[in-house]
Amino acid sequence: LNEPLLLEKGKKGRCGFSLPRRDVESCPVEEELLGEGPNFPDLSEGEIVRHYTRLSTWNFGLDSGMYPLGSCTMKYNPKTNERQASLPGFAGAHPLLPEQLSQGTLKMMFHLERLLAEVTGMDAVSLQPAAGAHGELAGMLIFHAWHKSRNSHRTKILIPDTAHGTNPASAALCGFHPVNVKSNEDGILSAKVIAREMDEETAGIMITNPNTLGLFEENIREIADIVHARGGLVYADGANMNALMGMVSMGELGVDVLHLNLHKTFSTPHGGGGPGAGSICVGKRLEPFLPVPRVLEADGTYSLSYDFPESIGKLHAFYGNVGVMIKAYSYLRSLGPDLKKVSQLAVLNANYIKEKLKNTLYLPYDRPCMHECVFSDKLQAQKKITTLDMAKRLMDYGFHPPTIYFPLVVSGAIMIEPTETESKEEIDLFIEAFKEVAREAEEDPERLRNAPSFSKVRRLDETAAARHPLLTSFDAS
Amino acid sequence: LNEPLLLEKGKKGRCGFSLPRRDVESCPVEEELLGEGPNFPDLSEGEIVRHYTRLSTWNFGLDSGMYPLGSCTMKYNPKTNERQASLPGFAGAHPLLPEQLSQGTLKMMFHLERLLAEVTGMDAVSLQPAAGAHGELAGMLIFHAWHKSRNSHRTKILIPDTAHGTNPASAALCGFHPVNVKSNEDGILSAKVIAREMDEETAGIMITNPNTLGLFEENIREIADIVHARGGLVYADGANMNALMGMVSMGELGVDVLHLNLHKTFSTPHGGGGPGAGSICVGKRLEPFLPVPRVLEADGTYSLSYDFPESIGKLHAFYGNVGVMIKAYSYLRSLGPDLKKVSQLAVLNANYIKEKLKNTLYLPYDRPCMHECVFSDKLQAQKKITTLDMAKRLMDYGFHPPTIYFPLVVSGAIMIEPTETESKEEIDLFIEAFKEVAREAEEDPERLRNAPSFSKVRRLDETAAARHPLLTSFDAS
Amino acid sequence: MRYLPHTDEDIAEMLKAVGKESLDALFSTIPEACRRRTDLELPEALTEWELNDIMGSLAGSMAVSPEYRIFLGAGSYEHFIPASVTYLLERSEFSTAYTPYQPEISQGTLQAVFEYQTLVAALLGMDIANASLYDGASALAEALLMAARVSRRQKVALSSLIHPLYRRVVRTYLEPAGFEILELPYAADGRTDLNHLGNLDDLAAIAVQSPNTFGCIEDLAAIGNLTRGTKTLFIASFTEPLAYGLYKSPGSQGADIACGEGQSFGIPQSYGGPGLGMFACLKPYLRSMPGRLVGQTTDREGKRGFVLTLATREQHIRREKATSNICTNSSLCAVTSAMYMASLGGTGLRELAKLNYDKTEYLKKELNRAGFKTPFAGPTFNEFVVEFPVGFECAYQRLLDQNIVAGLPLGRYYPELPNGYLLCVTETKTREDLDTLVARLSNP
Amino acid sequence: MRYLPHTDEDIAEMLKAVGKESLDALFSTIPEACRRRTDLELPEALTEWELNDIMGSLAGSMAVSPEYRIFLGAGSYEHFIPASVTYLLERSEFSTAYTPYQPEISQGTLQAVFEYQTLVAALLGMDIANASLYDGASALAEALLMAARVSRRQKVALSSLIHPLYRRVVRTYLEPAGFEILELPYAADGRTDLNHLGNLDDLAAIAVQSPNTFGCIEDLAAIGNLTRGTKTLFIASFTEPLAYGLYKSPGSQGADIACGEGQSFGIPQSYGGPGLGMFACLKPYLRSMPGRLVGQTTDREGKRGFVLTLATREQHIRREKATSNICTNSSLCAVTSAMYMASLGGTGLRELAKLNYDKTEYLKKELNRAGFKTPFAGPTFNEFVVEFPVGFECAYQRLLDQNIVAGLPLGRYYPELPNGYLLCVTETKTREDLDTLVARLSNP
C-alpha cells in the first residue's frame, strides 16, 4: 500500500474535525492583524484515519518484534500504563490548577520521586527534565551552581570515551569544556587515568555506568574518591540503570548526580523519539540545587514550592512530562521489588547473546557484560561486509537491527541490548538470524549489500538527503 | 514478519494475566468433578501483544483502504462511536440490573428504536436480533405468528432470485418452503409474476430493496398490494437501506416487516464477521408480535416489559447487541437529517463507478443503479480470465476486491458498493486500478492468475481445505 | 459533515460524469408514488462534543463497579479484562474488516479464529469448534436443531436449570417448526432430576447446563452414561466457561455438543450483548454443524494459510437446506476471547477459576455463619442460591441505595423460590467486599 | 510477573549457556564493595486491578471538565481532541518505536514528521521547521541560544509579556553560560513597549510572545521592521498556535525564528507535560538550528523516502560543538499535532480560531457590561486580563467550591496587578458556561 503525502491530498471544503456549534455572534477582527490562515489540506475524518493507519504499518515498533537497540532499553511497554495516563483526571488536568484541586497528580509525583530515590540509592529527585539529555543538562547546571555556591570557577569536565553521546553537548551548554578520557584495555576506566586528569579546574566527571560497552565501571568508587578529593563532583548517566536495579546503590558508589530515563528503565514508550522523561537524582548536599518547583508534602497534603533560593531554576514550562511520569509510576508499582529480577534477567539475556554470538561476530571485550554486549564487524570485513549491511539484512529476518557504529571506541560496533522482556525463544531466533546473516556474508555478500529487501523502501540515500536538504513538502515539490 | 500459531508458542509457567491477589483460603473441590483444565499455552503479556499485533498486520480493514464489497456497505466506522460504547457505564453494565439502575441504556434503546422507525417509515422496532439473518428469522417468526393468530397455516414464501442469500435459510427455519421468483429482463420483479405465484398457501414475500443488483424494485407497491390482497405479508430485507434513507418510506411502500443491519447502514464495525445487529421494524398491526422484552417509557422512566402475549418470544439471551446499538445511536445522532445526504452520495458514488467502468467490464443491466452496481467477467472470459483472477489482482493494487459471484443471477458477478465515505480521488484510483487490471487481462493474463503477489500468502487452496478439514491445531499437527 | 468527503465541486463533476442534473435525479428509477413525502424528522446533528456530553450522561446513570458492588451473575459475569486485550481488540485491522471471504488479505482474522477454535475445543474437551455464534442462548437453540437434524427426531429434553432466558430462546426457535420440548425438573440438591426422563427412543437430545442456573455443577458423567451408544445427543450448555478451568470438561464426560456463552472471557458485559456463542462438538457431526469454520490449508507455494471452509453447509450456498441461517456471527468477540484465554494460559486459567471458587465458598460459609440458608447442597462454582428471610425485598432495595446489588431475585423465574436469590462472586470481589455484604445483609 | 517471560527452566538453561551458577553470579564483575547492601524497599507489587483502583482514585481527585468549568489558559489550553486522533496515536507502531535511526522500517514516523515539519512551517509562515523540541519554554531558550550562535552576540532582549515561566527557563539555560538578558516592559495597552530597547548593535535577538501573557496580539510587524537588515534576530514565541489560524503568521511579519508550545493541537494537557516544542526558522539558519530534522530522499530504486538528516549538527556526531544537546524530543506529540492539524485542515483551523476569538469577545463584553474592568485595550485571541474588585480572593475560592476556576491570578507573576486575572475561553466553553461565569462573578 502506498500513501501520498498529506499535502498531496485533500480538497478545499472538507473537514475532518467536528466544529463546535457557534453559539455566539461573529465579531470583527482588527484588519491589519488579520491573517489568511495556513493553506493546510482539507480532508475527511476517514481519509485522515486511513492516511495515518497506512503510515503506521510502515513502522517497526516494539509490538512488531524484538528491538535490540543497545543503550536504548527497548522493553515491552505495558498497556495498562497507557490506560492510567489517559484517565481523564490525569490527561485533562491544567498545570496551574489550584493545589487543592490537583492533589492526585502531586501525590503521584511525590511518591514517584521517593520510589526513584530508593531504586537508585540517591537522596532527592526532581522529575522535571523532559528527556535524558535534559537530565544531563540539569546535572551540569547543578555542577555549575554547586561550584558557584562555593565560589569556585571550574571550566573542564572529564568525559570517558565510553560515555553516552549527549554528555559532551550537555556539558558544553553550561560552559564546561569536555576532556575526553580513554577507557583501559578492559573497556573500563582506570583510577590512575582519572587521578592524572582530575585537577582543580575540573568540575567533575560524567560517567556512564554500566558504560556503553555494557561493562560495569569496577573502579567507580575509587574514581569518585579521587574526584571528590579534588573538589569535583561525580555525575552518572543512568540511562543504563536497567542493568543494576537492586544490585547497586548509586549513592553508595559515590555518585552525586544521576539522571534516569523513565522511557528506558521504567518502560514508558519512546514514541518514535519522545516524549521521554529524564528525572534527576542527587545526594543530600546537592538537594538545594534541584530544579523548582519541588513537590512537598505536609500532613498528607501536597504542594509545589518555588522556595529554594539555590535552585538552578526551571527547565520546563511546568513540571516536566507528567504523562510519562504516570506511566513510570504505574510500572514501578506493578513491579515493586521484582525490579531486581528485571535487572537480573536483562543481564542474563545480554550475556546469553554474547556467549551465543561470540563465535559469529568479533567480540572486542570478552568479559561478563551487563545489560548489553558490543560486537564489531571485524570478522566480516574481509568480505567487505559492514555492520550496516548486516543491520539492514536483519530487517529482512523480522528484527530491528541493534545500535550500530556506537560506541565510537569500537570500530564498526554492533551494540545489542535485548532487555528482560524478550523470551528465550525470541532471543534464540534472533541469534539464529544473526548467524544466518553472517553465513550469507560469507556466501552471498551481495545479498547483504542489497538489504533490506522486504521493507517499504530499499536502502535510502542519506548522503543526498543531507547534501540537498528537502525538509518540507514545499521544498520538495 | 511471520508468526507461529499460539499453540506453537509459550512455555509452562508464564502468565500474561495479572492474577488477582488471593485474599481467601483455598477450599477443597469435590474429587470426581475436578478436572485438569485445558492445556492452553502460557505466554507473557508482551508475547501476546506481539502475536496479535503481527496477526493484525495481515488483515485488510476499512482503515487500510477502500473495501467496496457489494451488499456489505463497508463505510467508515467513526472512532467516536467506539469511544461511546466503551464508556464504563455502558460497557460494564449487567443486563439484569434493576431498571432504576439502568435508565441510561434503556433510554438510549428507546430512542434508537424511535429514530430507526423514523428513518424507515415503520411504526415499531425491536433491537433484539443480533445480526441481519437473525432479523430475518425474527421477521419470519412474525409472519408465522401473525398467520397463526388468524388461524391460517401457510407453508410457502416467495423469494426473488435477487434477494440476499440468507433469506431462504431464515424462512426454512420457521418451516416455510421458499419459492424462487425470477426477476425480469430489467433485473427487477414484475407484478405479473408475483400475481401468478402468490396464493393462499403462501405466507408472503421476502424482497430485498434495492435488490442485489443494486436496482430499486419499482413495482414494489403493486406487488405489496397483490400480496396483501391474498392474505400475505411483505418482508423487506433492509440490508441495502444505505441507498434509500430520506428518499423512501418503507412503510408507505407496503412493507410489513423490515430488518436493518446496524453494522452496514449505521456504520458499526463488522469485526471480521460480527458482532452486528439486525434490528427489526414493523407496521402497527404487527407490533404485538415483536420479540420481548420491549423497552417502554412512562413519565420519563424507562422499563423492560415481557407483557406481550402474542410476541414471538425471545431471540437473544438478553436484549441483543447493546454495544452495537450504542455505536449506531451515536452515528444517527451525529448525522441527523444528513442521513439523506449519506444515501445520495452513496448512490452518486455507485453510479459514477458504473459509468466509468462500463466500457471496461460487462454491465448486464445498464440502468441507473442505487448504492451498488453489478458487472461480470464476460468481456474477460475470452482470455480465460475470471472474476476471481481480477479480484485477486485488485489486492495487489491496494484495494479490497468487490463481492464476487453474487448475485447468482449474474454469472461471474462483480458487485461493487463504494459507500458514501469514499472520496472521489479514492474512487478514481479504484477505477484506474480496475482498468489496469483489465488491461493486464488482455496483455498479461498469467499475472492475474498468479495474483495476489504482495499479500501475506499467495492464492490459497480452498478445495483442499474443504476436502480434508483441519479445524484446530491438534487436527493440523 | 466530517465523514462525508464530497465537496460541492466533487459532486458537480461526478453528476456530470453520470449525466444527472442533481442528487435527487439519481433516484429517477424510484417511481414518484414510492418517494417519501416528508423530510426525515430527526433531531439536529450533534457535534462530537455534544455527543460526548449526552452519551457521558446516559452512561453515567448506569450502576457499574467500582462505584457499585454487584453480585449478579446469571449469564453475565464481571471479570477483569487486561488493558492489553482491550488495546489489541481496538486495532482496526481486526475491528473494521468484513467476514474473511478473501483469505489472502484476511490472515489475521483467520489465524486468530483458527486459534480460537483450537482453544475452545481444548477448553470444552471436544474435537472441533466453530468460529462462533451470536450468544449462549442461540447457540443452545442451534445445538438442539442440529441434534434434531442428526437424529431425525422432533423431541428434546431440557433441564429446567438451564438459564430461564435461554429456554425462552429455545422455545422461540423450536416451537414454530413443530418441535416438542420436555422440561426436566430439578432435585433437592439443585441439580437436574433425570428420573422423569423416560426412555430415550424419541429424544433428539438431552440438554443440561453446568454450572446450572442455581450455580450447581451437574452430574455430566451420569448423562454421558445415559446417552452413550444411543442416538440421543448429549448437549452440555454453559453460561460460565471459566468453570472448566476447575471442573471436568463436557467432552471428557461424554457430551456430544458443548455450547454456551463466552462473555466471561474478556468481553465487556455491555448490558447483555454482544456476547459470544461458543459451539463445539465431536468430529462425526462436522457436516451438520451450524456456523462458520476456519480451516488450515496451503497456498500455491506450499505455505500454511487459513480459509473459511465447508461453506457448503452455509446459507449462501445451500440456501434453505443450510445447517443454519447464521451469517454474521461474533467474530471479534471470538478473537477477544482468544486473546483473553491466551493471556491466562492454562496455568492462569486454573488459578483464576480456583480463586473464583474459593471466594464463592468463602461467602457461602460466611453467609451460613450469619444464619442465612443455602438451600441447595450441590457443589457450585462462582454462583449459588441463598434463601433470604421473608420480606427481604425492602432490605434489597435499601442495599441498592448503598450501592450494593445483592444478587438476582429468583422468584420471577422459579415461583417456588420466592425468597431465593442467586449470588455471584468473581475475582473482582475482595474479601472486604464479601465481608461488607454479609455485614449489610445482617443489618440491612 | 506478566511482563517477564522467563520460566525457571529458561533461566537454568541460559545460565548454563553462559557458565554461571546463579543470577547473582552474573554480576561478578561488580566488586563486593560496590554491591547494594540492602534489598530494595519498595511497596509490594500491585496487580493490574489494584493499580486501576489506586490510579483511578488519584485521577479522580483532580479537577477536570466536564465536572469543572476551568477558565485557565496561560500556556496550557483545553481544546477538544477528536476520538480519531486519540485512536491513531495509540497505534503501537507509532508509540513504541524508537527514534527512526533505521529509516527503511521507520517510514511511518518519518513521513508523519516530515508532514509535521511542513504543516508547522506553513502555520508559522517560515521556511523550515524541525522535528520538535521538548516544550515551548525550552524551544524559546534554544532559539535564543541559536540567535547567539548566529549573531555571535551575548545579549538578548525579552519581552516581559513572554510567559513568566518561559522566562525562568530562559534564565536557567542562558545565565550559567554568561548571557545577558534585557527585559522589555509593557505598555498601557498590554503589549510590549519597544521604546526602551535602545540600539540593536549588541543584541543577538529580540523575543516577544504573541498572543502574549496578557492575551494580547503583539505588533509583530513593528519588530520585524526594527530588525530587518540588522544582525539581530527576531524571535516570535507563542503558547497558543491556534491564534495563527486567525492572525498573521510570525513569518509574514518578519520573524527569523518562530517557536512555542504546540499542546493546543490535540495534545492532552496532562498537568503541563508532555508538550510540544514547535520550532521554525528561515532557511539561511538551517545549519544553526537545534533538534532533529527529517528530509526527503530516494531509495536505490528511486522511490521517495524519508530519513533523519543533517545529523552533523547533532550531539552524537558533533559532541560538544553540537547546536544543542537535544536527543529525545516530542516526536509522538509532533505526530499527534499533525493529525490534529490535518483533521482541522485550513478551513477548519480558521473557523475554530474564529470561534475561540468570538467566544472570548463575548465574555469580555459581558464582563464589561457587568461592570468588570479589562485593563488592557490591545486586541486579544482567546485570553484576556480582567481586573476583579479588591478582595476577590474569597470569591475566587467560593467559585472553586462551585466547580468554577475563574482564571489565573496574575499577582504572583506581575505584582503590580494584584487583582488581575487571566481568563481563557476556548471552543470548549458554551455560551451558557460564559453566562454562568458572569452571573456567578456578579453574585459570588
Side-chain angles (χ1 to χ4, degrees), chain D residues 84-164:
Chain D
S84 49
V85 170
T86 306
Y87 164 75
L88 288 168
L89 159 78
E90 283 170 359
R91 286 185 62 85
S92 66
E93 289 94 333
F94 286 130
S95 60
T96 72
Y98 198 74
T99 304
Y101 287 129
Q102 296 289 347
E104 295 85 359
I105 51 175
S106 311
Q107 287 297 302
T109 293
L110 286 163
Q111 180 169 332
V113 172
F114 181 82
E115 293 170 350
Y116 161 83
Q117 291 175 176
T118 304
L119 293 168
V120 169
L123 176 76
L124 302 174
M126 307 301 287
D127 297 333
I128 48 175
N130 74 10
S132 77
L133 298 173
Y134 307 131
D135 70 347
S138 60
L140 175 59
E142 294 276 6
L144 291 162
L145 290 172
M146 170 172 154
R149 279 194 304 275
V150 167
S151 66
R152 297 171 185 270
R153 292 173 177 175
Q154 295 284 307
K155 188 174 159 191
V156 296
L158 245 63
S159 160
S160 58
L161 292 180
I162 288 179
H163 196 296

Side-chain angles (χ1 to χ4, degrees), chain B residues 42 59 100 273 392 449 475, chain C residues 109 283 300 329 347 397:
Chain B
D42 288 355
N59 242 33
Q100 67 195 87
K392 298 296 183 194
R449 284 186 207 106
D475 261 3
Chain C
T109 293
K283 212 174 249 173
R300 287 194 177 168
N329 49 29
T347 308
Q397 205 60 38

Side-chain angles (χ1 to χ4, degrees), chain C residues 38-333:
Chain C
T38 53
D39 279 342
L40 285 174
E41 277 184 45
L42 294 173
E44 203 182 354
L46 298 175
T47 67
E48 183 170 352
W49 330 110
E50 291 165 339
L51 182 69
N52 285 347
D53 282 350
I54 287 177
M55 299 306 275
S57 92
L58 288 175
S61 76
M62 303 294 293
V64 295
S65 63
E67 290 73 22
Y68 281 76
R69 288 292 158 195
I70 295 162
F71 293 91
L72 290 172
S76 180
Y77 300 89
E78 186 188 349
H79 289 295
F80 288 133
I81 302 177
S84 49
V85 170
T86 305
Y87 165 75
L88 288 168
L89 158 79
E90 282 169 1
R91 285 185 63 85
S92 66
E93 290 93 333
F94 286 131
S95 60
T96 72
Y98 199 74
T99 305
Y101 287 129
Q102 296 289 349
E104 294 85 358
I105 50 174
S106 311
Q107 287 296 302
T109 293
L110 286 163
Q111 180 169 331
V113 171
F114 181 82
E115 292 170 351
Y116 161 83
Q117 292 175 177
T118 304
L119 293 168
V120 169
L123 176 76
L124 302 174
M126 307 300 289
D127 296 334
I128 50 175
N130 74 10
S132 78
L133 299 171
Y134 306 131
D135 71 347
S138 60
L140 176 58
E142 294 276 7
L144 292 162
L145 290 171
M146 171 173 154
R149 279 195 305 276
V150 167
S151 66
R152 297 170 185 270
R153 292 173 177 175
Q154 295 284 308
K155 189 173 158 191
V156 296
L158 244 64
S159 160
S160 57
L161 292 179
I162 287 179
H163 196 297
L165 299 175
Y166 283 30
R167 281 180 285 133
R168 291 203 67 165
V169 173
V170 166
R171 283 211 299 279
T172 305
Y173 270 74
L174 266 61
E175 283 178 353
F179 293 96
E180 190 187 337
I181 299 171
L182 173 71
E183 283 220 356
L184 303 173
Y186 60 85
D189 64 350
R191 299 159 93 180
T192 305
D193 184 352
L194 298 171
N195 290 321
H196 305 275
L197 191 57
N199 103 24
L200 304 183
D201 287 356
D202 60 346
L203 269 190
I206 303 175
V208 298
Q209 174 184 313
S210 183
N212 65 30
T213 294
F214 292 168
C216 296
I217 308 302
E218 293 282 359
D219 186 356
L220 300 180
I223 305 166
N225 288 335
L226 261 178
T227 57
R228 186 165 302 120
T230 72
K231 280 181 71 183
T232 304
L233 272 68
F234 168 18
I235 299 173
S237 175
F238 55 87
T239 60
E240 177 48 291
L242 185 60
Y244 299 127
L246 187 63
Y247 288 111
K248 283 180 175 159
S249 70
S252 70
Q253 305 302 290
D256 297 287
I257 302 175
C259 62
E261 175 57 52
Q263 172 271 324
S264 272
F265 284 176
I267 300 164
Q269 294 181 275
S270 287
Y271 206 60
L276 168 63
M278 288 183 164
F279 193 103
C281 67
L282 299 179
K283 212 174 249 173
Y285 306 124
L286 168 58
R287 279 164 209 275
S288 303
M289 200 178 187
R292 295 234 156 85
L293 290 167
V294 173
Q296 180 176 316
T297 186
T298 49
D299 76 357
R300 287 194 177 168
E301 293 169 348
K303 205 162 145 191
R304 175 167 73 184
F306 302 92
V307 293
L308 288 178
T309 193
L310 297 171
T312 45
R313 299 153 27 263
E314 289 182 65
Q315 21 65 32
H316 57 287
I317 309 269
R318 282 202 98 193
R319 299 177 68 93
E320 72 268 22
K321 297 207 178 65
T323 55
S324 135
N325 78 329
I326 194 166
C327 178
T328 296
N329 49 29
S330 262
S331 189
L332 194 63
C333 297

Side-chain angles (χ1 to χ4, degrees), chain A residues 53-69:
Chain A
T53 300
R54 286 179 169 185
L55 259 58
S56 76
T57 62
W58 306 338
N59 241 33
F60 191 101
L62 257 173
D63 291 357
S64 316
M66 187 168 159
Y67 214 128
L69 271 184

Side-chain angles (χ1 to χ4, degrees), chain A residues 26 42 59 273 392 449 475, chain D residues 109 283 300 329 347 354:
Chain A
S26 181
D42 288 354
N59 241 33
K392 298 297 182 194
R449 284 186 208 105
D475 261 2
Chain D
T109 293
K283 211 174 250 175
R300 287 195 178 167
N329 51 27
T347 307
K354 188 64 172 40

